[in-house]
Amino acid sequence: MKKVFLLSLGLVLGLGAFAQNRVMKNDAQKAVANGKIVAVGTEMTTEASTYAPQAAKSVVISRYDDLEDAEAMYTYYDLQSNQYVANRMYQLPNGNVAITATMSHEANQSANDRGTGYNFYNGEWNDMPETRVEPYKTGWPSIARWGANGEILLCHGNGHMQCFTREIAGEGEWQEMGALPDYPEGYPYTTEYGTWPRVVTCGENNNIIVAVAALQHSFAPAIDSTDVRTVMYRSEDATNWTISYGPLADLPTPYHIGNFSADDYALAANGNTVALLYSGCLTNSVWMFKSEDCGLTWNTTRIWEHPFEGVDLTEPGLDYGDTLFMPMNGSITIDNNGVAHVALNTFEMAHLADDDPGYYTYWNGRPVDGILYWNDTQDPIHDTDHPEYIGTSLESHFATANPFHAARLWWPIPEDPGYVHMVSDSTKWIGYIPMYEGYDWDNGSYFMSQTEYVSKLYGASGHPALSCDPDGNLACAFSSPNVTRDNGSYYLRSIYVSYRCADNGYWEQVEDDITEDVMLMYSECLFTISVPNTVNSGEFWFGYQADDQLGFYWGNNASQTSASENFIHASKVIRPCGDGVEEGAQDVVYNIYPNPAKDYVVVNSAMDADATITFVNLAGQTVKSFNKALTTGENTISIDLESGIYFCTVNANGFNKTVKVIVK
C-alpha cells in the first residue's frame, strides 16, 4: 500500500516575508485518503518558501447585478464528499433546475433519516425539503435527466445501489426501480455492492444510462488492507443493467484494481458522447475515457502522466529526487461540439526523508496552489519551455521538460533564491487563492486540518466545478481561502468563479465571489457542484455547502464536537460572452508582450478604453503608474525601467490583468 507522509503546514508566508522554520508533530493521528491509510505523524523541521509580491487581483462581485443565490436545503450531515462532488445538479431544456445533496435533519452521529435531499427550480425554488426521497437510509445521491421529461436518481443504501425515477421532473412520486447488480461476474467477494455512484444519461432522448461506482472490500481487522475496484453500469430502461469493470480495466495495466478508489472519478455526457475522468490516486496518472456511442466503446487519454505511475512509494531504494506537483480533485464537462473540458486542482508533494523513501510531505498553500485546465483538443499536460523566459537567466531552468512540474503554477525565481512567483498563463490556469490589495497572507490564519481537509481538498483551492453554456463558454467555480473573511482565528473559504469565453480561449481568472453576501460573512463554503451543461447562453449554475463552523462533524477524527446546520446553496450566474456582451462590460486586455522586454511592452486590447497601467517591483513598490487611452488592437507602451522583474497591471473598464514582466 501507499505510505505517504502528509504534513498539512503550507509553504506559505506573508507578502515579501522572510523564510522560517516550522515543526509539526502529531504522532498518533492517521487519516484515510483514497481508501487507504496515510501517516500523519512524525516530527520534522521544514523550511518554508516565500513568494514574490503579486499585484492584487480585484475580485468583481456580480458585475451584472444578476446573481441569484438561494438556500435549497439544509442538512446536519456535513460530509458531502470524501473528495469529489459531481452529478448532483442538472438543467432541463425549459430552464428548470434540480439539485440534490446528502441530507439528514438529525443532529447526531446516527443520522437514521439520512438520504437524498432534493429541490427543484421552475422560476423559483420550492420550499426546503423536510424528508429524504428514499423510504430507507441512503447516501451519496447522483441525479440526471431521464427520457423526454423525467429524471433518474442513483444512491447507495439498504444493501445495494438503488435506482429511482419519475416521468415528470419535479412532480409526482418517485418510483423505486430496484437494486442494480452488486458486482461483475468473477468478483471474488460476495458481500459488497456498488457505492459512491455518478450517473449521466445520453442518447437522442436521454434514455441511455451510464453510471460509475466503486466496490470496496476490507480485510478486517487490518483497515489498511482494502480491495478497491471501480465498476461501470449501463442500462436503456433503468431496470436491466450490465455491469463491468469499465474502460479502466482495458488499460495494459489493469488500474481498476487497487488504484482509484470511491470518489476518485467524475462523469459527463452530452448527446451520444460520454466522458469519464479518473484523477484521485496519489500514485497514478490522470486518465480520461471518452465514448461517442453512449458507453459501448471507449477511447483513452492519459491527461497527466504520473512520474511513478503505479509504483508503490514504499519501494526500497526509490529515488524521488524532486518535488512533485500533481492534480487531484477533478471536474469534467462536454460542450456541444463534443469537446471534453477538464478542471483539476493541484498540490505539491516533496520527498524530504532521505532515510525512508516511502515518506513524502504534502504541502498546501498559496505558492503550491492552482486550478489547472485542459481540453481534449490539446496535448497532454506537460512541463513546457515557457516563452516569457526565453533569452533570460531563467532559460536554463526551463530548457528541459520536467514531468514533476507539469502541474506547477508557482515557480522559483533564480535571481531571488527562496522566492516563487506565479506564471501568468491564463490559457492553462483557471484560478488560485485570490489576492486582495492591502491583505497579506498569514500562514497562522490558514486552516487545513490534517485529518479532515487533506483528503477532501488536497490543494488549498479545491472542488472545481465546470459549467458550459450552449456556445461553448465555460465557467469554473472552486472553493478557496479568503483573506478578507475570517472567524477570528482562521480564513474562511469562499466560492470563486473564473470564466473562459469560447472565442478568446483564455481564462478571466477569479472574477466573481458568489459567496460575497453579508449572510455568509462567517460561513465556510465547500463542496462546489455545477450544472455541467446549461441551456441559456451566458448562464451558469453552481451549488455549494455553507457552514458557520470549520471542519466536519462527520468523517475521520472530525474536529466538530456537535452537529450544526449546513445550508446547500444554488446560484445562477450571468456572464455573457462574444456578441452577447454589451460594450462596457468586456474584458479589455488579453495579452501583454514581449517578455522579456527592453524599452517597451505591447498591450493587446479588445476595444477602445481608458486604462491605468502600473508596474510593481519585487519589493512591492510601485515604480511606474500612468494613464493610457488604449485602442482596439496593439498598443505600444514605452516603459523606461531598470533591468529586473516587475508585475505589470493594466486596469481598464473595471477589469484588470496582471503579468510578470522581465525587463532586460
Side-chain angles (χ1 to χ4, degrees):
M1 62 168 283
K2 292 176 284 189
K3 182 173 65 170
V4 181
F5 178 80
L6 300 184
L7 179 63
S8 66
L9 169 66
L11 280 169
V12 287
L13 293 174
L15 288 169
F18 295 101
Q20 64 178 357
N21 290 330
R22 298 268 184 173
V23 178
M24 291 292 290
K25 184 174 183 179
N26 197 353
D27 294 323
Q29 297 185 20
K30 289 182 180 293
V32 175
N34 299 321
K36 302 186 179 182
I37 299 298
V38 292
V40 192
T42 262
E43 182 175 328
M44 65 183 302
T45 302
T46 61
E47 184 174 341
S49 293
T50 55
Y51 58 95
Q54 309 290 312
K57 173 72 177 179
S58 298
V59 177
V60 181
I61 309 304
S62 188
R63 69 177 64 75
Y64 300 105
D65 295 323
D66 209 346
L67 166 67
E68 295 182 18
D69 187 271
E71 293 176 345
M73 66 192 79
Y74 77 94
T75 176
Y76 284 95
Y77 191 88
D78 60 0
L79 187 59
Q80 292 298 322
S81 171
N82 289 316
Q83 189 167 314
Y84 296 1
V85 197
N87 307 97
R88 291 194 174 183
M89 297 180 77
Y90 76 88
Q91 187 172 31
L92 292 164
N94 62 8
N96 294 345
V97 173
I99 186 172
T100 60
T102 303
M103 186 182 75
S104 171
H105 289 170
E106 293 184 3
N108 57 64
Q109 288 284 346
S110 63
N112 290 315
D113 68 335
R114 191 186 71 188
T116 298
Y118 173 95
N119 207 336
F120 190 74
Y121 173 89
N122 59 358
E124 61 181 11
W125 288 97
N126 294 338
D127 293 337
M128 288 193 284
E130 292 297 328
T131 58
R132 65 194 176 201
V133 167
E134 307 88 350
Y136 39 75
K137 184 176 181 179
T138 66
W140 196 264
S142 184
I143 196 166
R145 291 178 59 192
W146 167 233
N149 302 300
E151 55 191 345
I152 183 170
L153 171 72
L154 295 188
C155 54
H156 62 234
N158 200 33
H160 306 280
M161 195 152 83
Q162 307 289 347
C163 177
F164 296 82
T165 65
R166 55 183 178 184
E167 293 184 2
I168 305 297
E171 299 180 16
E173 298 296 323
W174 288 91
Q175 180 180 359
E176 186 173 355
M177 304 300 291
L180 277 66
D182 287 336
Y183 42 77
E185 183 178 357
Y187 183 66
Y189 315 107
T190 59
T191 57
E192 312 305 334
Y193 60 92
T195 53
W196 285 275
R198 309 286 194 280
V199 65
V200 295
T201 56
C202 59
E204 184 177 352
N205 202 31
N206 291 96
N207 63 327
I208 300 175
I209 311 159
V210 178
V212 62
L215 297 169
Q216 300 183 100
H217 181 81
S218 296
F219 300 93
I223 60 172
D224 59 342
S225 298
T226 305
D227 185 317
V228 183
R229 309 187 186 199
T230 60
V231 289
M232 177 161 287
Y233 302 84
R234 191 178 187 276
S235 176
E236 297 186 12
D237 59 7
T239 300
N240 300 291
W241 297 84
T242 60
I243 181 172
S244 69
Y245 287 121
L248 196 61
D250 296 331
L251 295 176
T253 302
Y255 286 141
H256 67 291
I257 302 176
N259 283 271
F260 296 96
S261 182
D263 238 5
D264 283 358
Y265 35 76
L267 192 62
N270 190 342
N272 291 323
T273 304
V274 181
L276 172 59
L277 175 72
Y278 286 97
S279 62
C281 181
L282 291 173
T283 57
N284 213 299
S285 301
V286 176
W287 297 89
M288 185 190 75
F289 300 92
K290 189 174 180 181
S291 171
E292 296 181 352
D293 53 14
C294 284
L296 292 176
T297 60
W298 299 87
N299 295 315
T300 305
T301 302
R302 185 194 275 113
I303 295 176
W304 171 84
E305 184 172 0
H306 197 300
F308 291 125
E309 183 178 288
V311 174
D312 185 346
L313 295 183
T314 65
E315 181 180 321
L318 180 63
D319 182 14
Y320 198 61
D322 206 338
T323 58
L324 171 63
F325 294 81
M326 69 176 295
M328 187 55 69
N329 297 166
S331 176
I332 189 167
T333 186
I334 303 169
D335 66 26
N336 286 346
N337 292 321
V339 176
H341 303 265
V342 172
L344 299 158
N345 84 323
T346 60
F347 71 101
E348 181 187 12
M349 294 176 65
H351 180 201
L352 300 179
D354 294 334
D355 59 338
D356 190 339
Y359 274 84
Y360 294 84
T361 299
Y362 163 79
W363 297 108
N364 55 68
R366 177 168 283 173
V368 296
D369 181 51
I371 304 292
L372 186 62
Y373 171 73
W374 179 86
N375 68 60
D376 63 354
T377 69
Q378 301 172 341
D379 293 332
I381 296 168
H382 60 282
D383 179 32
T384 59
D385 187 359
H386 301 290
E388 63 261 41
Y389 300 136
I390 295 300
T392 75
S393 59
L394 296 175
E395 182 176 3
S396 60
H397 188 79
F398 297 113
T400 304
N402 185 338
F404 291 86
H405 293 171
R408 183 171 192 169
L409 172 61
W410 295 81
W411 292 81
I413 303 174
E415 292 90 344
D416 292 277
Y419 282 80
V420 297
H421 66 93
M422 186 172 61
V423 172
S424 55
D425 184 353
S426 57
T427 65
K428 184 177 180 180
W429 292 96
I430 294 172
Y432 40 80
I433 301 173
M435 291 162 284
Y436 294 86
E437 189 170 354
Y439 288 87
D440 290 349
W441 178 271
D442 177 9
N443 191 61
S445 296
Y446 177 54
F447 179 85
M448 188 71 172
S449 170
Q450 293 185 22
T451 58
E452 296 175 283
Y453 282 6
V454 163
S455 58
K456 313 300 183 294
L457 291 159
Y458 285 89
S461 298
H463 300 156
L466 283 168
S467 186
C468 183
D469 77 2
D471 300 325
N473 305 311
L474 297 172
C476 182
F478 59 94
S479 173
S480 191
N482 184 337
V483 299
T484 71
R485 295 199 306 125
D486 63 63
N487 65 354
S489 299
Y490 297 104
Y491 299 138
L492 298 173
R493 305 182 73 88
S494 291
I495 306 298
Y496 294 99
V497 188
S498 299
Y499 304 95
R500 181 183 185 270
C501 294
D503 56 349
N504 290 340
Y506 64 87
W507 285 91
E508 296 164 10
Q509 300 165 326
V510 200
E511 287 295 317
D512 283 325
D513 176 355
I514 61 176
T515 51
E516 186 77 4
D517 186 283
V518 65
M519 299 300 293
L520 295 169
M521 184 181 300
Y522 298 109
S523 293
E524 174 88 327
C525 299
L526 293 158
F527 300 130
T528 322
I529 59 176
S530 66
V531 169
N533 294 93
T534 60
V535 299
N536 297 317
S537 297
E539 177 182 297
F540 307 97
W541 283 85
F542 299 104
Y544 60 92
Q545 176 176 294
D547 181 17
D548 61 2
Q549 296 186 45
L550 277 76
F552 304 113
Y553 181 55
W554 269 266
N556 300 298
N557 299 309
S559 62
Q560 294 183 18
T561 57
S562 61
S564 60
E565 286 185 333
N566 295 259
F567 287 90
I568 306 300
H569 287 246
S571 296
K572 179 177 74 172
V573 181
I574 303 297
R575 179 61 166 86
C577 281
D579 295 337
V581 181
E582 298 178 4
E583 186 172 350
Q586 185 174 350
D587 197 350
V588 176
V589 178
Y590 57 90
N591 199 9
I592 300 173
Y593 64 92
N595 205 346
K598 188 174 182 181
D599 301 319
Y600 67 91
V601 294
V602 175
V603 176
N604 271 358
S605 179
M607 60 184 288
D608 294 350
D610 293 329
T612 299
I613 301 175
T614 304
F615 287 85
V616 177
N617 64 18
L618 289 180
Q621 301 167 324
T622 299
V623 297
K624 194 176 187 68
S625 182
F626 54 93
N627 297 325
K628 174 73 174 179
L630 301 177
T631 59
T632 303
E634 297 182 346
N635 297 264
T636 301
I637 312 293
S638 298
I639 53 176
D640 188 26
L641 294 171
E642 295 181 357
S643 298
I645 299 175
Y646 301 88
F647 298 95
C648 174
T649 298
V650 180
N651 189 306
N653 198 32
F655 292 80
N656 63 47
K657 184 176 183 66
T658 299
V659 300
K660 182 190 67 64
V661 175
I662 298 171
V663 177
K664 295 190 295 186

